[in-house]
C-alpha cells in the first residue's frame, strides 16, 4: 500500500493528514469549514484515495491559513506516498462537468511544481468560504506534491459548481495519474530515469 501521514503545526494551524493512494475513497475530514470539508470529501470519493484530515486553525481570523496549510500537508502526503513513482501512469487529462459548468484538469506527476489556474468565480463566497481560497489550496497542493497542474474552467455560472468541478476534476486526474501501469514494470516514467530536478 502506498500510504503516508503528515503532521504540520504552526502558530496558525495544527494539521494531520493521512492518505492511501490505493484506497477506496474513504474520507474522514474535519477542518471546521463546511464547504471545504465537502470539497475534500468528494476529492477522496472520486480519486479513490483514502483521505484523513484533522485541522484546527485560526478560523476566528479567516479560513485562509487552514485551507492553505491543509493543501500543503495533503501535497506532502501524496508526494511521500508516491515514493520513487516507479510504475505510475504519470499523466492524466480530465474534462469534468458539473451541471452548467465544465472544467478541464490536466496533471503531470513530474516532480516539477507548476500551477496554471484559469478559473473565475461569479461570487466572492460560497457560504462563508472565500472562493479565492480555491486557488490557494490548489497552489499549496501543487507546490508540495511536486506536480504540474493545469486547471481551467471553460464555462460556468454557479460558484459552487465551479469549485466542485475543479476538485472533482483533480480527483479523477489523480486517480488516473497515480495508477500503476502494468506495462511499466516498475519503471520510472521518464526518459531521464527519474522524475523531478
Amino acid at each position: 500500500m502506498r500510504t503516508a501521514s503528515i503532521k504540520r503545526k504552526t502558530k496558525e494551524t495544527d494539521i494531520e493528514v493521512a492518505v492511501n493512494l490505493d484506497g477506496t475513497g474513504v474520507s474522514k475530514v474535519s477542518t471546521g469549514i463546511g464547504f471545504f470539508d465537502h470539497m475534500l470529501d468528494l476529492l477522496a470519493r472520486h480519486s479513490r484515495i483514502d483521505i484523513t484530515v484533522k485541522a484546527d486553525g485560526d478560523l476566528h481570523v479567516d479560513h485562509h491559513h487552514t485551507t492553505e496549510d491543509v493543501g500543503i500537508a495533503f501535497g506532502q502526503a501524496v508526494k511521500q506516498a508516491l515514493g520513487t513513482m516507479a510504475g505510475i501512469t504519470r499523466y492524466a487529462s480530465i474534462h469534468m462537468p458539473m451541471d452548467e459548468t465544465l472544467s478541464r484538469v490536466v496533471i503531470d506527476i513530474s516532480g516539477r511544481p507548476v500551477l496554471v489556474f484559469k478559473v473565475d468565480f461569479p461570487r466572492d463566497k460560497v457560504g462563508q468560504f472565500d472562493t479565492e481560497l480555491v486557488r490557494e489550496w490548489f497552489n499549496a497542493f501543487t507546490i508540495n506534491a511536486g506536480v504540474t497542474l493545469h486547471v481551467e474552467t471553460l464555462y460556468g455560472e454557479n460558484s459552487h459548481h465551479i469549485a466542485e468541478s475543479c476538485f472533482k476534476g483533480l480527483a479523477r486526474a489523480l486517480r488516473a495519474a497515480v495508477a500503476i501501469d502494468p506495462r511499466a514494470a516498475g519503471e520510472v516514467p521518464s526518459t531521464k530515469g527519474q522524475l523531478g530536478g
Side-chain angles (χ1 to χ4, degrees):
M1 289 283 193
R2 297 174 294 167
T3 62
S5 297
I6 296 291
K7 292 185 179 181
R8 174 184 171 83
K9 187 170 184 177
T10 71
K11 292 181 179 179
E12 299 166 340
T13 61
D14 187 355
I15 293 170
E16 297 180 19
V17 172
V19 300
N20 176 0
L21 301 184
D22 302 304
T24 59
V26 174
S27 66
K28 296 178 183 176
V29 175
S30 177
T31 68
I33 307 169
F35 180 74
F36 187 38
D37 286 357
H38 176 45
M39 295 299 103
L40 296 175
D41 283 337
L42 61 84
L43 176 62
R45 175 67 61 89
H46 293 284
S47 67
R48 307 300 287 176
I49 296 172
D50 293 343
I51 300 174
T52 300
V53 177
K54 183 182 179 198
D56 293 312
D58 55 358
L59 300 184
H60 63 285
V61 175
D62 65 8
H63 296 163
H64 188 285
H65 298 142
T66 299
T67 303
E68 182 177 29
D69 288 3
V70 167
I72 290 169
F74 179 66
Q76 291 172 346
V78 168
K79 184 174 183 178
Q80 183 176 312
L82 281 166
T84 65
M85 297 181 265
I88 64 168
T89 302
R90 179 176 169 178
Y91 299 99
S93 177
I94 299 293
H95 281 84
M96 179 57 64
M98 179 66 200
D99 293 353
E100 86 298 342
T101 297
L102 183 66
S103 294
R104 175 173 54 219
V105 180
V106 184
I107 194 168
D108 174 11
I109 302 177
S110 59
R112 298 184 305 277
V114 177
L115 174 65
V116 177
F117 193 82
K118 297 183 177 181
V119 179
D120 293 316
F121 292 95
R123 291 190 292 151
D124 293 336
K125 288 183 179 289
V126 175
Q128 298 302 310
F129 188 80
D130 294 321
T131 50
E132 69 181 9
L133 295 181
V134 175
R135 188 191 192 285
E136 292 301 318
W137 185 89
F138 272 83
N139 189 58
F141 165 73
T142 298
I143 291 169
N144 288 275
V147 300
T148 299
L149 184 62
H150 294 248
V151 182
E152 182 177 14
T153 296
L154 304 177
Y155 45 83
E157 300 172 3
N158 180 291
S159 292
H160 187 132
H161 295 166
I162 291 169
E164 191 160 332
S165 70
C166 292
F167 276 91
K168 282 182 176 176
L170 175 62
R172 294 300 296 215
L174 271 176
R175 180 174 175 174
V178 305
I180 298 298
D181 181 351
R183 295 176 297 169
E187 296 174 2
V188 174
S190 172
T191 54
K192 297 177 182 178
Q194 67 179 40
L195 289 170

